[in-house]
Amino acid sequence: MAWCAARALHMPALDITALRSKTPLAVGVGCASVAGTTLCRSSSTSKRQIPFASLSISTDASIKEAVKTDKAPAALGPYSQAIKANNLLFVSGVLGLNPETGKFVSDDIEGQTEQVLKNMGEILKAGGAGYSSVVKTTIMLADLKDFKKVNEIYGKYFPSPAPARSTYQVAALPLDAKVEIECIATL
């Protein structure tokens, strides 16, 4: 018997007929988790066990905690500077803004990149982490031709082994920034 709700989520169906024991199975998919087990009918006759599956999405706010510091620019919209969850720190995209003025520290890529990484450092510190605990970064550039300049500055902040990273050129960034960087760190 395939799990029908999986189709609504555009996921491959989960064949739970293989779950013949009473041992629970948990499978995580993004923010959702699928838990399956078999339930027995209470009957004197020997009938086939009926599989059971449920979809659970946690809305418990106690499993995540917002991180906020005045030493980095405030979020520009309805989001947090960072979120702590499951011993991880998820830092939102950071721009090269001066935290006191809300203005870019520079119009050039070097100045903005340096400030982005300083701001990120303050958010990491407020969340109980540091550059050495960053495991993944995503860099968004207004112009991919700035890749080499950004790399030179970026390399000064992250000790070896450097975090996993993705870099993209994007159509536009908030406030016409030249660079935005987000990261995930372990706690």
Side-chain angles (χ1 to χ4, degrees):
M1 175 169 136
W3 184 51
C4 299
R7 290 185 182 169
L9 295 172
H10 304 289
M11 298 180 339
L14 176 64
D15 183 6
I16 58 175
T17 57
L19 302 174
R20 301 208 182 248
S21 71
K22 293 185 183 187
T23 306
L25 168 74
V27 179
V29 181
C31 295
S33 64
V34 178
T37 187
T38 52
L39 299 176
C40 298
R41 287 185 186 171
S42 53
S43 171
S44 60
T45 62
S46 174
K47 292 187 178 181
R48 186 178 172 151
Q49 294 179 345
I50 309 280
F52 171 77
S54 68
L55 176 65
S56 172
I57 299 174
S58 177
T59 57
D60 184 2
S62 66
I63 64 168
K64 67 180 188 178
E65 174 188 341
V67 174
K68 184 177 185 320
T69 178
D70 293 333
K71 295 181 179 181
L76 299 175
Y79 60 91
S80 301
Q81 287 174 317
I83 290 288
K84 283 184 183 183
N86 297 324
N87 292 323
L88 294 172
L89 180 66
F90 299 86
V91 178
S92 297
V94 180
L95 300 177
L97 301 172
N98 178 321
E100 295 171 5
T101 66
K103 305 285 184 203
F104 286 109
V105 294
S106 173
D107 288 332
D108 64 41
I109 189 67
E110 295 90 349
Q112 285 191 27
T113 302
E114 193 77 44
Q115 188 64 40
V116 163
L117 291 164
K118 286 178 183 176
N119 292 341
M120 180 178 286
E122 293 297 336
I123 296 169
L124 287 166
K125 189 187 313 180
Y131 296 109
S132 63
S133 61
V134 173
V135 295
K136 173 73 168 86
T137 61
T138 304
I139 301 176
M140 291 148 282
L141 297 171
D143 188 346
L144 203 52
K145 291 176 185 166
D146 291 328
F147 183 79
K148 185 177 178 182
K149 294 174 186 174
V150 170
N151 266 345
E152 290 171 8
I153 297 163
Y154 177 95
K156 294 188 292 184
Y157 284 85
F158 294 101
S160 186
R165 184 178 94 182
S166 301
T167 304
Y168 305 99
Q169 177 175 317
V170 295
L173 289 168
L175 305 176
D176 290 324
K178 296 192 180 303
V179 60
E180 179 176 1
I181 304 176
E182 64 182 22
C183 73
I184 301 170
T186 59
L187 296 173

